[in-house]
Amino acid sequence: MPRNSIALRLSAMFTLVAALVFVLIGWALYQQVDKGLGLLPEAELDARYSVLESTVGRYGTPEHWVKINNKLKLLGEEDKRISFWIISGDRRYEYGDISPQVRAFAEGPLGMRDLQLPQQPYPLKVLVSQFPAKDQRPPLRFMIGIDTQAVQATQHHLLIALISLAIVGVLLASALGYWVARIGLKPLIKLSQEAQRLAPPLLSARLQLSPLPPELDQFVSSFNSTLERVEQAYTRLESFNADVAHELRSPLTNLIGQTQVALTRGRSAEHYFEVLQSNLEELERLRSIINDMLFLASADQGSKATKLTSTSLADEVATTLDYLDFILEDAQVQVRVSGDAQVQIEIAHLRRALINLLNNAVQHTAPGQVIEVRIDTEHHQVRLGVANPGEPIASEHLPRLFERFYRVDASRSNSGANHGLGLAIVKAIALMHGGDVFVRSDDGVNTFGLYLPL
């Protein structure tokens, strides 16, 4: 079992909780029992003293004192735990084995006190009382002592029993906690085994929601959602790889074919110049595809725009239109710009996105039509839309228009003018600035654009 196993962690937590509970309960129980046991010797001494008090205090002559000594001796022989001492200035009225330690103890305060004798392993609980002079008897100190060995032994045995029970209880709680944790984690183990069977060929499989504990429902739902996103990403990746291979194959095939034809027999310098010029165009197309793919790969890794500059969107649109002047003239279309907003943006990226949006609009606009560029502010963000009149786009295509190599018209997939990454780059640039893209197609007008934060 791994050291960081959940079952072991839960078992350790059960052990700590059980140890804390047993310690608290054992300590409280021991305190109560110890207090009760400590009162037993005192209660017995009080009972003995109440019986002897009147007898000792009644007599004051040596003749009667002999009877008291005999009675005390008899009581001491009946119960070896009990000891009696009488200390007085007159030896005739003294009783018991009075050592200097006992005599010094008797001179102390009255009441219940502990006396530790050298020959005793445990202290004696002693009740010290005083009787005034009577007849011929001088004042005296009367002491009754009881051996606490039985009480101390009982307390010791109780402590050992509580500690033993606590250890056994903690070990039992640890074992039962581990067993309960293993049973409780069985659904999670089954989920883990089921998840291990999922592999790329089986990405459409999902974890079963039932019969699972409610605590795992949310986890399974989230995991299934992740699987769905992974499946979609895997499908897009396969499609992307196929599209990349297709897009790169076309110019490479053209390059190889033209070169092979040129090498079949001798050609004029003019012919070789035309072949090289045609090959250069294909190479430029290859370079464009590769650069765009590298840019998108960098954006996919979470790259953010850092060289931000405050600029006017209307001014940047005007600069881009100047750059595309010849393209607009050849296409015989006009561009009308309305609105403006000041934004923080990386200018090089913005111009690249504007070129792609305007190129996309020009390619799908009939000669003599007007392209509308609208800039306005809504919900704390800037909306820049490029609208061109054209054929309506079916709704099923709209969510995928910003995907790589996606085209509504599959017959144009090999177009040299467009390799299918322009709108994907627009989306990447918008995301790098914390924005997003949008597309609409209604009333014979198709609008592509992006949102940028103010």
Side-chain angles (χ1 to χ4, degrees):
M1 181 63 62
R3 184 173 57 181
N4 57 351
S5 166
I6 295 179
L8 287 181
R9 291 182 181 182
L10 291 176
S11 177
M13 293 176 65
F14 287 141
T15 302
L16 291 176
V17 171
L20 180 62
V21 171
F22 278 115
V23 167
L24 292 177
I25 293 178
W27 179 80
L29 181 61
Y30 179 79
Q31 291 296 323
Q32 292 298 321
V33 174
D34 181 64
K35 184 177 179 181
L37 290 174
L39 294 176
L40 291 178
E42 297 180 4
E44 188 168 355
L45 290 178
D46 286 335
R48 297 277 184 174
Y49 178 76
S50 63
V51 172
L52 296 174
E53 180 183 13
S54 59
T55 303
V56 175
R58 187 188 310 168
Y59 301 108
T61 62
E63 295 79 9
H64 289 95
W65 203 254
V66 174
K67 296 181 180 179
I68 294 176
N69 288 344
N70 292 334
K71 186 173 183 179
L72 294 177
K73 183 178 180 181
L74 180 62
L75 292 175
E77 292 175 351
E78 289 178 353
D79 192 346
K80 298 298 183 180
R81 300 177 302 122
I82 304 297
S83 299
F84 299 97
W85 297 276
I86 298 178
I87 295 92
S88 174
D90 190 342
R91 298 283 181 175
R92 295 176 300 170
Y93 295 96
E94 290 188 346
Y95 176 81
D97 184 11
I98 304 175
S99 63
Q101 181 183 2
V102 172
R103 190 175 296 277
F105 182 83
E107 294 176 357
L110 304 178
M112 294 286 182
R113 294 158 57 198
D114 290 335
L115 172 62
Q116 181 67 58
L117 297 176
Q119 67 274 17
Q120 295 288 341
Y122 296 98
L124 300 177
K125 181 68 71 174
V126 178
L127 174 60
V128 182
S129 60
Q130 182 170 336
F131 289 89
K134 185 176 178 61
D135 298 335
Q136 302 177 24
R137 174 177 61 77
L140 53 85
R141 287 286 180 103
F142 178 54
M143 299 192 306
I144 306 176
I146 185 170
D147 189 1
T148 61
Q149 181 176 359
V151 174
Q152 296 286 347
T154 302
Q155 291 175 335
H156 179 72
H157 293 321
L158 175 63
L159 181 61
I160 296 298
L162 289 176
I163 293 175
S164 301
L165 288 175
I167 294 175
V168 172
V170 168
L171 293 177
L172 184 61
S174 177
L176 290 177
Y178 181 77
W179 178 67
V180 170
R182 292 288 294 176
I183 293 177
L185 291 175
K186 277 187 177 180
L188 192 58
I189 295 174
K190 291 180 179 178
L191 279 179
S192 178
Q193 294 172 349
E194 188 176 350
Q196 289 176 356
R197 291 193 294 268
L198 298 178
L202 299 175
L203 286 179
S204 59
R206 297 291 182 269
L207 297 180
Q208 300 298 320
L209 287 174
S210 61
L212 288 176
E215 293 81 1
L216 293 178
D217 283 346
Q218 185 176 1
F219 167 76
V220 174
S221 299
S222 300
F223 190 81
N224 285 339
S225 299
T226 302
L227 285 179
E228 185 174 353
R229 291 193 295 270
V230 170
E231 181 184 10
Q232 294 173 356
Y234 188 80
T235 302
R236 287 198 299 267
L237 180 60
E238 287 185 329
S239 176
F240 174 74
N241 291 336
D243 290 336
V244 168
H246 181 74
E247 292 292 334
L248 294 179
R249 183 177 58 185
S250 297
L252 287 175
T253 301
N254 293 339
L255 286 171
I256 294 172
Q258 291 177 1
T259 305
Q260 289 175 339
V261 170
L263 294 175
T264 55
R265 57 187 177 85
R267 306 282 182 176
S268 63
E270 182 180 356
H271 184 270
Y272 283 125
F273 179 80
E274 292 177 355
V275 171
L276 290 176
Q277 188 175 17
S278 177
N279 287 351
L280 180 61
E281 292 178 357
E282 296 297 338
L283 290 172
E284 290 287 351
R285 181 182 175 194
L286 279 174
R287 184 178 67 174
S288 176
I289 294 175
I290 293 172
N291 288 338
D292 289 346
M293 289 173 59
L294 290 175
F295 178 82
L296 291 173
S298 175
D300 288 342
Q301 293 176 359
S303 297
K304 299 294 183 182
T306 55
K307 300 177 182 179
L308 301 180
T309 304
S310 179
T311 186
S312 165
L313 282 181
D315 290 345
E316 292 302 324
V317 172
T319 302
T320 305
L321 291 176
D322 289 340
Y323 175 78
L324 299 175
D325 184 49
F326 291 107
I327 296 177
L328 296 173
E329 185 177 350
D330 289 343
Q332 299 179 11
V333 297
Q334 295 181 354
V335 178
R336 187 163 50 235
V337 182
S338 61
D340 191 12
Q342 199 79 11
V343 294
Q344 293 280 342
I345 198 164
E346 194 163 333
I347 295 178
H349 289 341
L350 173 63
R351 291 178 180 175
R352 188 173 187 179
L354 291 174
I355 289 173
N356 290 346
L357 288 173
L358 290 168
N359 267 329
N360 178 72
V362 170
Q363 290 173 15
H364 299 89
T365 303
Q369 301 291 331
V370 177
I371 298 174
E372 296 281 349
V373 179
R374 299 186 182 90
I375 304 171
D376 48 31
T377 303
E378 57 179 38
H379 304 299
H380 306 288
Q381 59 185 354
V382 176
R383 178 181 180 275
L384 187 151
V386 179
N388 66 279
E391 296 182 3
I393 303 174
S395 58
E396 63 268 18
H397 295 296
L398 293 178
R400 303 191 58 189
L401 290 178
F402 285 94
E403 294 181 6
R404 303 171 189 181
F405 299 117
Y406 186 82
R407 296 182 181 86
V408 176
D409 186 0
S411 64
R412 300 186 61 189
S413 60
N414 293 326
S415 173
N418 179 20
H419 51 259
L421 293 177
L423 292 180
I425 290 176
V426 173
K427 182 176 181 179
I429 291 174
L431 295 178
M432 290 172 66
H433 289 82
D436 203 354
V437 293
F438 67 91
V439 58
R440 285 207 318 265
S441 179
D442 46 27
D443 300 329
V445 177
N446 301 321
T447 304
F448 293 80
L450 49 80
Y451 290 105
L452 296 173
L454 281 174

